């Protein structure tokens, strides 16, 4: 089960600002930290590129500010969308993901997500959805339950029924 309990969604702010906000949220939620007392987070692989404002990458700046970001996310769009759909659909109609109502941007993006031409999604206002997809792709692939092993008695009974034309 995945619980989406908080989000941080602001543009036009510095890495320092975002790091402070992420730390604030993680402290409120009592998120566990790594052995270096850093918050662990996923980040788009584009964050490894050098910024215009600094000689360091966004990933490095976050790391220096106590946020251990992992930019090695699986960005396979179609596999990720399929996995998110799998979690939303769940098993027997029970979703395997719960999104808290204070995650207004993720909820808005889910409601406005659209497919464009050529069976590709429209890439607009989907930052929260991308992060959800990155996170879901870090989880182990769901396994299908193994079929129940039939007892010797049941197998024998099925064999007899087939012989008599009842199966």
């Amino acid at each position: 089960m995945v619980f989406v309990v908080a989000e941080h969604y602001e543009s036009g702010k510095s890495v320092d600002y975002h790091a402070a906000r992420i730390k604030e949220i993680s402290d409120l939620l009592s998120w566990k930290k790594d052995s270096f007392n850093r918050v662990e987070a996923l980040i788009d692989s584009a964050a490894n590129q050098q910024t215009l404002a600094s000689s360091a990458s966004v990933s490095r700046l976050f790391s220096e500010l106590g946020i251990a970001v992992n930019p090695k996310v699986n960005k396979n769009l179609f596999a990720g969308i399929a996995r998110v759909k799998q979690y939303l659909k769940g098993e027997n109609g029970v979703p395997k993901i719960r999104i808290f109502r204070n995650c207004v941007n993720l909820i808005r993006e889910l409601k406005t997500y659209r497919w464009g031409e050529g069976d590709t999604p429209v890439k607009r206002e989907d930052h929260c959805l991308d992060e959800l997809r990155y996170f879901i792709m870090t989880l182990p692939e769901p396994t299908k339950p193994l079929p129940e092993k039939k007892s010797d008695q049941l197998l024998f009974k099925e064999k007899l029924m087939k012989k008599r034309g009842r199966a």
Side-chain angles (χ1 to χ4, degrees), residues 5 8 11 26 48 55 59 68 92 108 155 165:
V5 299
H8 169 62
S11 62
S26 68
N48 279 339
S55 61
S59 294
N92 301 322
R108 175 183 47 79
L155 290 170

Short mmCIF file of all heavy atoms in Angstrom, two decimals, residues 5 8 11 26 48 55 59 68 92 108 155 165:
data_model
loop_
_atom_site.label_atom_id
_atom_site.label_comp_id
_atom_site.label_asym_id
_atom_site.label_seq_id
_atom_site.Cartn_x
_atom_site.Cartn_y
_atom_site.Cartn_z
N VAL A 5 0.93 11.40 1.52
CA VAL A 5 0.41 12.19 2.64
C VAL A 5 0.77 13.67 2.59
O VAL A 5 0.18 14.46 3.31
CB VAL A 5 0.87 11.60 4.00
CG1 VAL A 5 0.35 10.18 4.17
CG2 VAL A 5 2.38 11.63 4.13
N HIS A 8 5.18 18.98 -1.81
CA HIS A 8 5.81 20.31 -1.86
C HIS A 8 5.82 20.70 -3.32
O HIS A 8 6.39 20.00 -4.15
CB HIS A 8 7.22 20.26 -1.29
CG HIS A 8 8.00 21.50 -1.56
ND1 HIS A 8 7.60 22.73 -1.07
CD2 HIS A 8 9.11 21.72 -2.29
CE1 HIS A 8 8.46 23.65 -1.49
NE2 HIS A 8 9.38 23.06 -2.23
N SER A 11 7.23 26.87 -7.58
CA SER A 11 8.21 27.18 -8.61
C SER A 11 8.84 28.54 -8.33
O SER A 11 8.32 29.33 -7.54
CB SER A 11 7.55 27.18 -10.00
OG SER A 11 6.57 28.18 -10.06
N SER A 26 9.42 16.69 6.18
CA SER A 26 9.90 15.37 6.64
C SER A 26 9.98 15.31 8.16
O SER A 26 9.71 14.27 8.75
CB SER A 26 11.24 15.02 6.00
OG SER A 26 12.26 15.85 6.47
N ASN A 48 20.89 16.38 -12.42
CA ASN A 48 22.34 16.15 -12.43
C ASN A 48 23.07 17.16 -13.30
O ASN A 48 24.29 17.24 -13.27
CB ASN A 48 22.65 14.73 -12.92
CG ASN A 48 22.50 13.71 -11.82
OD1 ASN A 48 22.53 14.03 -10.64
ND2 ASN A 48 22.32 12.47 -12.21
N SER A 55 27.88 26.48 -10.32
CA SER A 55 28.74 25.53 -11.01
C SER A 55 28.40 24.10 -10.61
O SER A 55 28.90 23.14 -11.18
CB SER A 55 30.21 25.82 -10.72
OG SER A 55 30.45 25.69 -9.33
N SER A 59 21.31 18.33 -7.94
CA SER A 59 21.49 17.16 -7.07
C SER A 59 22.56 17.43 -6.01
O SER A 59 22.38 17.14 -4.83
CB SER A 59 21.89 15.93 -7.88
OG SER A 59 20.86 15.54 -8.73
N ALA A 68 19.51 13.86 0.58
CA ALA A 68 20.17 12.85 -0.25
C ALA A 68 19.24 12.48 -1.38
O ALA A 68 18.33 11.68 -1.22
CB ALA A 68 20.52 11.62 0.59
N ASN A 92 -9.25 -6.50 -6.64
CA ASN A 92 -10.68 -6.62 -6.31
C ASN A 92 -11.33 -5.25 -6.10
O ASN A 92 -12.16 -5.09 -5.22
CB ASN A 92 -10.87 -7.50 -5.08
CG ASN A 92 -10.30 -8.89 -5.28
OD1 ASN A 92 -10.42 -9.45 -6.37
ND2 ASN A 92 -9.68 -9.45 -4.26
N ARG A 108 -5.20 17.44 -8.61
CA ARG A 108 -5.52 18.26 -9.79
C ARG A 108 -4.89 17.65 -11.05
O ARG A 108 -5.55 17.53 -12.09
CB ARG A 108 -5.01 19.69 -9.59
CG ARG A 108 -5.19 20.59 -10.80
CD ARG A 108 -4.60 22.00 -10.59
NE ARG A 108 -3.27 22.01 -10.03
CZ ARG A 108 -2.14 21.78 -10.73
NH1 ARG A 108 -2.21 21.52 -12.02
NH2 ARG A 108 -0.96 21.81 -10.15
N LEU A 155 -7.33 -33.89 -7.83
CA LEU A 155 -6.87 -34.24 -9.18
C LEU A 155 -7.49 -35.56 -9.64
O LEU A 155 -7.92 -35.70 -10.79
CB LEU A 155 -5.34 -34.32 -9.22
CG LEU A 155 -4.60 -32.98 -9.09
CD1 LEU A 155 -3.11 -33.22 -8.89
CD2 LEU A 155 -4.85 -32.10 -10.29
N GLY A 165 -17.39 -37.81 -18.52
CA GLY A 165 -17.99 -36.75 -19.35
C GLY A 165 -18.69 -35.68 -18.57
O GLY A 165 -19.54 -34.97 -19.09
#
